[in-house]
Amino acid sequence: MTDARGSVGRNGETNARRTPGAPCWVSLMVHGPAATHDFYAGLFGWEFRPGPQQLGPYARALLDGYEVAGIGQLPPDRQLPIAWTPYFASDDVNRTAETVRLCGGTVGVGPLDAGEAGRLAIASDPSGAVFGVWQAAEHLGTAVTGVPGTPTWNELLTFETANVAKFYETVFGFELEPSVSADHVTLRLDGRPVAGIRGLGNALPRERGPHWLTYFEVADADAALERLVALGGHVAEPVQDSPRGRTAIVADPEGARFSLLQAER
């Protein structure tokens, strides 16, 4: 993930503004934000402060004072899937939203202003996977990465990669790097990997459909898994070794799935 101009990493460096298309933020909408705050505070050490309220009550999660994610409240009458949503940077969210439509995607929310923070849209690709688009103003996005408790990777789990990869290539300008051994595509910007697409075929859970999965970095995957279960979370896939490190797919008490990643050093 590419960091943003004006945001300072844990080791003190100031980072460049995100390239359009770069993952820049992750957000979660739930029915019970207070309990969800407690869960993620216990798991990752996050603290919370109010954010823009254009889509209802919303708080930003902070790690050591740096903004890393957002959690909002769904309206009581909306029975939408509870899921982490990655946002991709855009210099012009209106133009990006129109490109989404022209390429067979759907824009479900916006484009709209989020106060002085910036401008957003929430869309879905042709397979139905939901993602966000963020045009930064005062809020540049995730302010620190590469340390435990921060989003570190996003991967689209879908039926097949070819058609949907072309969608993201056209909308965001990604360079596509297909894997030679599996139905997997790495999305690159300026030669750097920023996200992935994995085709699971019939192994993709039909009740979930295509969806983005956010990876959060942890120092010790086994210890984090024990802590998650003690906090009321659930284990979907236990810890296993992967090319990115030791990973586990888990869910919070409301059912939002995400992955824990103990990165290789």
Side-chain angles (χ1 to χ4, degrees):
M1 191 178 288
T2 309
D3 294 326
R5 182 176 60 207
S7 63
V8 182
R10 289 277 283 274
N11 54 4
E13 65 279 80
T14 301
N15 304 295
R17 176 178 285 276
R18 288 175 176 82
T19 303
C24 61
W25 188 244
V26 291
S27 190
L28 173 66
M29 302 295 285
V30 298
H31 295 293
T36 301
H37 292 178
D38 290 343
F39 171 81
Y40 286 101
L43 182 62
F44 294 137
W46 291 351
E47 299 176 334
F48 294 87
R49 71 179 178 200
Q53 309 292 301
Q54 276 69 19
L55 298 180
Y58 190 80
R60 291 179 182 157
L62 284 73
L63 182 68
D64 294 343
Y66 296 109
E67 295 175 344
V68 294
I71 296 178
Q73 182 173 4
L74 284 168
D77 59 340
R78 299 294 296 275
Q79 298 301 315
L80 298 174
I82 309 297
W84 280 101
T85 301
Y87 282 70
F88 299 95
S90 172
D91 283 341
D92 185 336
V93 70
N94 290 60
R95 185 176 66 237
T96 301
E98 183 59 27
T99 305
V100 166
R101 295 187 185 98
L102 291 173
C103 292
T106 301
V107 178
V109 176
L112 56 83
D113 291 325
E116 301 300 316
R119 191 163 169 78
L120 68 87
I122 299 175
S124 58
D125 65 31
S127 74
V130 176
F131 63 92
V133 182
W134 181 252
Q135 180 182 338
E138 290 184 358
H139 175 62
L140 298 176
T142 302
V144 59
T145 59
V147 294
T150 63
T152 187
W153 185 250
N154 292 284
E155 187 170 66
L156 173 60
L157 305 181
T158 188
F159 292 109
E160 58 83 30
T161 61
N163 292 325
V164 75
K166 288 294 184 183
F167 168 85
Y168 287 99
E169 178 186 32
T170 303
V171 172
F172 293 113
F174 293 130
E175 306 143 14
L176 307 182
E177 182 188 358
S179 168
V180 296
S181 60
D183 191 14
H184 183 266
V185 173
T186 299
L187 304 178
R188 293 178 173 268
L189 283 174
D190 300 327
R192 298 181 58 192
V194 296
I197 303 176
R198 186 176 298 277
L200 299 179
N202 292 330
L204 184 73
R206 293 281 174 171
E207 68 277 9
R208 292 188 58 81
H211 61 281
W212 281 94
L213 181 71
T214 296
Y215 289 66
F216 292 93
E217 185 160 338
V218 294
D220 184 318
D222 296 290
L225 210 61
E226 290 183 12
R227 191 160 62 249
L228 174 135
V229 172
L231 290 165
H234 310 282
V235 180
E237 295 182 14
V239 176
Q240 58 186 323
D241 293 326
S242 78
R244 305 197 66 82
R246 305 196 71 222
T247 67
I249 297 179
V250 298
D252 67 22
E254 285 209 23
R257 285 196 174 197
F258 58 99
S259 185
L260 304 174
L261 171 64
Q262 178 185 335
E264 292 184 339
R265 298 299 184 194

